[in-house]
Amino acid sequence: MKGDEIHYFGKIIAVADVFDAVTSNRVYRKAMMPHEGLEILYAGAGKKFDNTIIEAFRRAVAIYPNGLFIELNDGRKGVVTAQNEGIGDRPMIRILEENGEQIEPYEVNLKKNLHLLIRKCLNIQETA
């Protein structure tokens, strides 16, 4: 089956199932981070998965979950502290380090600072 032969609910389940499979620990590999799982969905957009469903999924899922340590594109490091509704890839970040130095923490909202991007996810050892 392909295209319109697949029921809409089946298309939704396909996106959720693949995301769950790649972001869960398996005996043969560790779980991917949610943003990596989303990239797999994007790679199959229009071919294996419905674009509209992927976009709805992206808006509904916290791609960078609370408590995740991250590095921004300007080199600052911090931790995800809250989600912005409807845009799971633009969370609130508590900045903990600038220019390699620990600082007095402060919040940055990626929803309001569109020039900032999460460059990578960090292990806790990489944050200090």
Side-chain angles (χ1 to χ4, degrees), residues 68-71 76-80 93-96 127:
L68 180 68
F69 288 91
I70 58 89
E71 181 177 327
R76 290 183 284 176
K77 294 180 182 179
V79 63
V80 177
I93 308 292
R94 177 171 294 131
I95 302 298
L96 304 171
T127 60

Side-chain angles (χ1 to χ4, degrees), residues 13 16 19 23 27-28 30-31 35 37 57 65 70 98 107 110:
I13 290 169
F19 185 81
T23 59
V27 294
Y28 52 88
K30 289 187 175 197
H35 69 282
F57 184 81
I70 58 89
E98 288 182 355
E107 300 289 323
L110 296 189

